[in-house]
Amino acid sequence: MIAERISRKSFQWVHQGNLVYNTCWEDPRLDRQALKLGPDDEVMVITSAGCNALDYLLDEPRRVHAVDMNPKQNALLELKLAAIRNLDFEDFFDLFGRGNSANWEHLYGQKLRCELSVLTRKYWDRHGDFFSSEGKRPSFYFRGSSGLFAWMVNGYIDRVAKIREDINSLLSAQDIDEQTSIYQSRNLNEQLWTRMIKWWMRRDLTLSMLGVPRAQRTQIDQGYPGGIVQFVIDRIETVFTSRSLRDNYFWRVYLTGSYDPECCPEYLKRENFERLKGGLVDRISVNTNTVEGFLNQHQGTISRYVLLDHMDWMAGAQPQLLQSEWQAIVNRAAEETRIIWRSAGMQVDFIDPLQVQHQGKTARVGEMLRYQSQLADELHERDRVNTYGSFYIADLQV
């Protein structure tokens, strides 16, 4: 109990009042294949860094509702929306591709600030230095809680392990065979996973910086041989030896602090930026609220839900809120509703037993879901991020 209390305090200390995620760590290429978005779809997605909400817009659904209870995450998405509407592509890519801009003060003061809500304006008034190319952390992608951890990892690569040349070779490899050869011939597994690094990976504070609450850690420790440390080692080795890094922008930005024009999220590509700027960006709404709070206030139905991995935490910390959240999902579901989510665990067993009211009767959530397990497994095997234990696609029958 004491350990859990300390862990909870660590997680709250890191997350309260902080920008946690400066980029999304869910692969939207898989999401878009799973969601099969059409022109009549209304999508609800947990905001995170807003990258994937913008990505979904490229399939031209009727509306995307980005929802997050952390106003700092929504402040980031608001800034991106203002930048799409008011900047040219080069300035936009400087900010969110390269992660810094020498013209930040001018761009923000003259083109962006007036487009932001009052709370978002106050946040970026204080944190504009996130986009500075000066100082010890010269990239936006070394900012926020997860960005601070990425900066520390890069410091380890450059100054302790001194394997920057090896990492750059991996990122520039032409195919998976070359990646595997580099990884194995240069003993990167041993270089990366020293006793000290393994010790740090077991610390609650380290995991909190990565957005991993104790409930998720417990799932992995109980369900994966070797626990959280071996899970991370195996996942990263798979990325380097079994997933092409040529278009793996998730790991590129984490290991370098910037994207490359040829390896970046879809919203950072010129042709897609122009499509967003041409009107698609107006189909998004930003909501600071819980999932349940948003759904209870929303007028109309939602046909696509993107729930990320937040249910892992809710199941362990506040199961009663998870049940009421699913009640809100059922209440707002369209006739043909598809829901996707991820989990740190290798298998989720806490959703199906939840009970909700539907058509005047009590029903188990599992009785109302038709899982697309084969599709989910196939997509999960192609996940470029590869940090989750499992992926779920389910159609809700209402």
Side-chain angles (χ1 to χ4, degrees):
M1 291 297 291
I2 294 176
E4 289 184 10
R5 234 181 355 255
I6 293 173
S7 176
R8 188 165 56 249
K9 290 293 184 183
S10 296
F11 192 78
Q12 290 173 348
W13 179 74
V14 168
H15 284 247
Q16 280 183 342
N18 288 322
L19 178 72
V20 180
Y21 306 106
N22 53 28
T23 186
C24 288
W25 273 72
E26 294 81 23
D27 191 342
R29 179 190 293 174
L30 309 186
D31 293 359
R32 288 167 67 179
Q33 292 181 55
L35 293 169
K36 294 181 170 58
L37 296 174
D40 296 325
D41 282 316
E42 297 253 349
V43 185
M44 194 230 76
V45 55
I46 296 175
T47 305
S48 184
C51 318
N52 290 0
L54 295 172
D55 205 294
Y56 304 151
L57 285 175
L58 298 172
D59 282 337
E60 302 189 16
R62 183 166 58 197
R63 196 78 178 161
V64 172
H65 305 277
V67 180
D68 207 299
M69 61 187 298
N70 184 346
K72 309 305 186 296
Q73 299 299 149
N74 286 332
L76 174 55
L77 178 53
E78 273 196 53
L79 185 68
K80 288 179 178 179
L81 297 177
I84 290 170
R85 291 185 174 109
N86 295 283
L87 300 184
D88 60 29
F89 176 74
E90 286 72 18
D91 286 332
F92 183 77
F93 193 86
D94 280 346
L95 292 178
F96 298 108
R98 296 183 178 89
N100 59 63
S101 172
N103 295 323
W104 164 259
E105 295 292 342
H106 169 74
L107 296 176
Y108 180 68
Q110 299 299 314
K111 298 185 177 183
L112 302 178
R113 189 175 186 274
C114 62
E115 297 287 326
L116 304 175
S117 66
V118 173
L119 290 178
T120 293
R121 192 180 304 160
K122 288 181 178 179
Y123 181 77
W124 292 115
D125 285 351
R126 294 193 306 271
H127 296 289
D129 61 331
F130 281 11
F131 294 96
S132 172
S133 59
E134 307 295 328
K136 294 182 178 180
R137 290 192 275 165
S139 170
F140 170 69
Y141 294 107
F142 291 151
R143 302 291 184 159
S145 302
S146 58
L148 174 58
F149 189 80
W151 175 72
M152 293 166 63
V153 168
N154 277 266
Y156 175 80
I157 288 171
D158 292 335
R159 293 185 289 278
V160 180
K162 298 181 180 178
I163 54 173
R164 173 57 63 187
E165 183 179 343
D166 298 326
I167 295 298
N168 289 342
S169 295
L170 274 174
L171 293 174
S172 60
Q174 295 301 303
D175 54 41
I176 294 174
D177 288 341
E178 185 179 353
Q179 288 173 204
T180 303
S181 176
I182 293 168
Y183 189 82
Q184 294 177 346
S185 65
R186 304 189 191 183
N187 293 320
L188 290 184
N189 189 53
E190 294 181 13
Q191 301 266 30
L192 288 170
W193 302 108
T194 63
R195 183 178 299 178
M196 178 186 70
I197 295 298
K198 291 178 180 179
W199 184 87
W200 275 109
M201 285 305 300
R202 293 188 181 95
R203 307 280 71 80
D204 286 330
L205 180 58
T206 304
L207 295 172
S208 294
M209 292 171 68
L210 295 171
V212 180
R214 190 171 184 85
Q216 284 192 321
R217 174 187 175 165
T218 299
Q219 280 186 301
I220 297 172
D221 281 339
Q222 292 177 349
Y224 196 84
I228 184 72
V229 173
Q230 193 60 47
F231 177 85
V232 174
I233 291 173
D234 291 347
R235 292 286 156 168
I236 291 179
E237 183 172 2
T238 297
V239 167
F240 287 159
T241 62
S242 302
R243 302 279 195 278
S244 173
L245 290 172
R246 290 180 62 80
D247 68 343
N248 197 328
Y249 61 80
F250 307 94
W251 287 97
R252 177 177 295 276
V253 75
Y254 198 79
L255 293 170
T256 67
S258 65
Y259 294 113
D260 182 277
E262 302 303 317
C263 184
C264 61
E266 291 298 319
Y267 79 94
L268 282 171
K269 296 179 179 179
R270 184 184 293 271
E271 64 273 19
N272 293 329
F273 170 81
E274 297 299 341
R275 290 181 62 207
L276 291 167
K277 193 180 189 71
L280 289 179
V281 75
D282 297 324
R283 300 188 187 188
I284 197 167
S285 68
V286 184
N287 308 270
T288 300
N289 209 332
T290 63
V291 171
E292 180 184 355
F294 165 75
L295 292 173
N296 286 341
Q297 295 174 10
H298 180 65
Q299 301 298 312
T301 60
I302 300 291
S303 58
R304 298 291 184 269
Y305 293 83
V306 184
L307 301 178
L308 307 188
D309 63 335
H310 84 290
M311 292 188 292
D312 282 356
W313 174 80
M314 293 184 74
Q318 296 179 310
Q320 72 283 0
L321 293 184
L322 181 58
Q323 182 156 309
S324 59
E325 178 176 293
W326 271 92
Q327 182 66 65
I329 289 171
V330 169
N331 292 345
R332 285 286 174 265
E335 287 187 11
E336 296 184 4
T337 290
R338 177 160 285 190
I339 305 168
I340 66 173
W341 69 90
R342 291 169 167 85
S343 175
M346 308 307 289
Q347 187 171 358
V348 166
D349 60 3
F350 51 76
I351 292 175
D352 288 358
L354 297 173
Q355 294 189 335
V356 294
Q357 297 299 310
H358 179 58
Q359 297 181 346
K361 299 179 181 179
T362 299
R364 290 173 64 254
V365 169
E367 296 170 350
M368 302 180 68
L369 295 177
R370 187 173 74 245
Y371 286 94
Q372 305 297 328
S373 299
Q374 182 176 345
L375 176 60
D377 290 344
E378 290 173 357
L379 293 178
H380 189 55
E381 284 298 311
R382 303 204 300 269
D383 189 344
R384 291 174 289 181
V385 184
N386 200 45
T387 56
Y388 289 103
S390 51
F391 178 50
Y392 300 87
I393 307 168
D395 295 322
L396 179 63
Q397 311 298 303
V398 294

